[in-house]
C-alpha cells in the first residue's frame, strides 16, 4: 500500500515534469514556417530532456520493483531525487532559449549530475533498508552506466565553457546508453524467485 | 503491478496534456462579449484536440487491457507515443492563434500522423511480446480506422497549403469516426475468456 | 480494473483543474499589502471554483461508487463532463480579472450549467448501463439538488446582465447547498448490501 | 477503495503543487551566470516550499495510513487542507520575487498557519470518525511538533514586519524539525497489530 502511494506520487511528479517542459515551446505569433524554425533549439532540448525523464521513470520503476518496504528515509531520498528532476524544465528552457550557450550547458549538466547523485543515494538507502540479503544490491552490481554517467556529466560541464558542442554530445551519448533498457534488475529478480 | 504503473503514468501525462491545452485559452482583459469572441478559433482547436486526446486515452485503455506483460520495449514505445501527444497542446495553440493558417494546419496533421505511427508501433511491440497467440493481434485484425487515419492525415497535410478548410474538415472527420467507441477489442477478449 | 483507470484519469484531470486555477493568481511585483489587495476578486473567484470542483469530485466519487461496469458510453460521457469542468479555470480567471462583470458572470454560469447537464447525462448513461435494477437510479431518486441547480444557473445567467451581484449570490448559494455531503447514495448502497 | 481514491487525488494535487512552483523560476533571457544569479531568492523560496510540501505529503501519508474509513467530513476536511496548500506556490513566488520582503514573509507564514490548522482539523475529523478506540488519537498523543508549529508561525508572522530574517529563520527551523521523519504513527500501528 505504502509503496503504491510512493510510486503514484513519483509518477505524478514525473508526468507533470515531462509535460510542463513542453510549455517552454511557446506558441509563436506568425503563421509561416519561418515562425517556428527559430524554435528548433527549444525543441531539441525538449527531446533530450524528455528522454532523460523517461530514463529516470524507467529506472525508478525497476528500482522500486526491487523494494519491498518503504521507510521514512526512502520517502525523503525519493523526494530529493524528484527535487533535482523538477529543475530539468528550467535548465532545459534556458538551454533552448540561448541556443546551447556555455553556462546553460554547464548548468544542464550540473542538474543531471545532482539527479544522478540523488538516484544513487536513493538506491543506497533502499539497499541499506533491505539488509544483508538485498535483492537490489545484487541487481545493481556491476552497474557501469550508473558509475560512468556522473563522470561524463563532470567532463561535459567542464568542456561546456570551451567546446560547448562536446558537452552537448556527451549528454546525448549518456541518454543513448541508457535508452537500452535495463534488464539486469529483472534478471536478478527472476533468478531469485 | 508493472502494468498498473504504466497505465498510471500514461493517465497522468494524458490528463495533464488535456488540461494544459486550456491554458492557451488566455483570459482576455476586456469584460464584454467582444472580448471573448476573437477566442473562437482557439476554442474550436481546443475542442478538436480534447476529442483527439480523449480518443487516444480510450484506445490506449483498451489496448493495454489486452496486454498482460510489460517489457522494456513496451515502456519505451509508450513513452514515444506520449512524446508526440505532448506536442498537441503546442500545435493546437498555434492552429488557434493563427485562425487555422496553412502551415499550422499542416503541422497539426504532422503531429497527429506521428502519434498514429507511434500508436501503431506500440501495438506491434505489444503483439510481438505476446507471441503467436496474441489476443491483441486478433483484436485489431481488420482495423480499418487505424489504417485509414494516417492516410487521411497525409492528404490533409498536403491539402493544408491549398485548401486549408479541407484539411481541417478531414481532421474533424477522423475524430468523428473514432468517436464511435471501439468494441472490437472487448468482443475478442470476451470471446476467448 | 477498468473503473480504477476511469477514476484515476478523472482524479488526475480534476486535480490539475483545481490546481492550475491558482495560476490565475498572478504574483504581483510590489511587496506591500497594496500589491495584493487588488487580487481579492481573483482570490474570491478561486475559492468559489475550488469549492465547485471539490463538489464535482465528491459527487463523481460517490456516483462511480455505485457503478460496477464501465462501457464505452460511460467513458465518453465522463470525458464530456471533464471537458466542461476544464473550462472553469478560464471562466474563473475572467470573472476575477474583471471584478465580477456582467458577461463574465453569465459565462461562469453557462459553463456551470453545461457541467451540470454533462453530469446528468453521465448519471443517465450509468443508470441505463445498469438496467432495470440500477442501484444508482434508486440512489438519485428525489435528487432535488441536481434538479434545482440547472434552474438556478439559468436564473443567475439571466440576472447577470441586470443585477450581477444576485447572479454571484446564486452561485454561492448553490455551492453551499452542495457542500452538505451527499449521503443518499451511501445510504442506498448500504441498504442493498 | 474509497481511501485509495482520496489518496490518489491528494497525491495528484500535491504533485502538481510541488511541480508548478518551479514555473516561478522564470527562464532568463541572458546566457551568462549574471542572468541566473538574481534568481537565487526565487530558488531558495522554492527549496523551502518544496520541503514543506514534502513534509505535508509525508505526514498526510502516515495519517491516512491510520485511517480505515472515509466519511464525507474527511473528504471535505482534506479538500480544505489542499486548498491552503494550493496557495503555497503563490506565496512562494511572491516571497522570492520580492527578495523576502516583510509583507510577503508574513503572508507566507499566514498560509502555513492556515495549512497547519487545516491539517489539525483533518486529524480531528479522522479521530472523531474512528470513535473511542481511535488508533490515530493514540498515535498523535504528545505531538509537540504539531502544537509548536502554529505558535512559531504566529511569532514569525509578527516578527516579519520588524526583523524579516528572524521570520525566515523560523520557517526554516520548523521545516528542519519536521524533516526528521515521523515514526510515532508507524510505531503505534505496529504495537497494536
Amino acid at each position: 500500500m505504502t509503496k503504491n502511494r510512493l510510486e503514484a506520487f513519483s509518477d505524478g511528479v514525473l508526468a507533470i515534469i515531462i509535460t510542463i517542459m513542453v510549455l517552454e515551446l511557446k506558441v509563436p505569433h506568425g503563421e509561416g514556417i519561418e515562425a517556428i524554425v527559430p524554435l528548433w533549439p527549444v525543441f531539441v532540448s525538449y527531446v533530450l530532456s524528455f528522454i532523460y525523464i523517461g530514463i529516470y521513470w524507467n529506472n525508478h520503476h525497476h528500482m522500486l520493483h526491487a523494494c519491498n518496504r518503504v521507510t521514512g528515509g526512502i520517502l525523503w531520498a525519493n523526494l530529493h531525487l524528484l527535487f533535482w528532476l523538477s529543475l530539468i524544465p528550467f535548465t532545459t528552457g534556458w538551454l533552448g532559449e540561448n541556443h546551447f550557450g556555455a553556462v546553460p550547458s554547464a548548468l544542464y549538466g550540473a542538474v543531471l549530475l545532482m539527479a544522478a547523485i540523488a538516484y544513487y543515494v536513493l538506491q543506497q538507502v533502499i539497499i541499506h533498508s533491505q539488509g544483508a540479503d538485498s535483492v537490489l544490491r545484487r541487481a545493481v552490481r556491476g552497474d557501469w552506466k550508473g558509475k560512468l554517467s556522473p563522470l561524463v556529466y563532470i567532463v561535459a560541464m567542464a568542456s561546456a565553457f570551451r567546446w560547448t558542442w562536446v558537452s552537448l554530445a556527451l549528454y546525448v551519448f549518456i541518454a543513448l546508453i541508457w535508452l537500452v533498457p535495463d534488464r539486469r534488475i529483472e534478471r536478478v529478480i527472476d533468478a531469485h524467485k
Side-chain angles (χ1 to χ4, degrees), chain A:
Chain A
M1 178 62 66
T2 288
K3 193 171 97 176
N4 279 1
R5 210 175 158 190
L6 178 66
E7 290 183 331
F9 184 72
S10 306
D11 281 354
V13 171
L14 290 174
I16 299 159
I17 290 173
I18 218 168
T19 321
I20 63 173
M21 275 195 302
V22 90
L23 294 177
E24 277 307 314
L25 213 58
K26 302 262 163 60
V27 172
H29 290 295
E31 66 170 291
I33 287 173
E34 73 285 353
I36 53 163
V37 166
L39 291 177
W40 76 265
V42 181
F43 181 72
V44 169
S45 322
Y46 176 58
V47 174
L48 182 62
S49 295
F50 192 99
I51 293 172
Y52 266 111
I53 301 289
I55 289 164
Y56 270 103
W57 178 70
N58 217 322
N59 290 343
H60 188 262
H61 175 94
H62 280 93
M63 183 158 66
L64 283 188
H65 206 66
C67 164
N68 322 314
R69 210 167 57 86
V70 176
T71 63
I74 292 175
L75 290 178
W76 280 107
N78 189 58
L79 274 168
H80 178 233
L81 171 61
L82 295 177
F83 173 76
W84 291 108
L85 294 177
S86 81
L87 294 178
I88 287 184
F90 174 78
T91 57
T92 303
W94 203 36
L95 191 66
E97 190 92 338
N98 291 289
H99 296 220
F100 312 109
V103 185
S105 297
L107 189 72
Y108 189 81
V111 167
L112 285 181
L113 177 64
M114 295 310 295
I117 292 171
Y119 188 84
Y120 180 78
V121 168
L122 174 55
Q123 189 175 283
Q124 293 309 109
V125 172
I126 294 175
I127 286 173
H128 182 80
S129 80
Q130 292 183 332
D133 195 38
S134 165
V135 173
L136 187 58
R137 176 181 292 139
R138 247 166 305 146
V140 299
R141 193 181 293 154
D143 174 18
W144 61 273
K145 287 182 196 174
K147 282 178 193 114
L148 181 65
S149 305
L151 297 179
V152 175
Y153 295 146
I154 291 170
V155 173
M157 284 165 68
S159 66
F161 295 98
R162 190 96 194 208
W163 309 285
T164 307
W165 289 97
V166 170
S167 144
L168 296 167
L170 289 172
Y171 300 140
V172 171
F173 168 72
I174 291 295
L176 290 181
I177 65 168
W178 278 106
L179 261 182
V180 183
D182 195 335
R183 296 228 171 77
R184 279 168 304 140
I185 293 177
E186 281 172 10
R187 218 177 299 131
V188 174
I189 289 174
D190 288 351
H192 290 267
K193 251 184 200 153

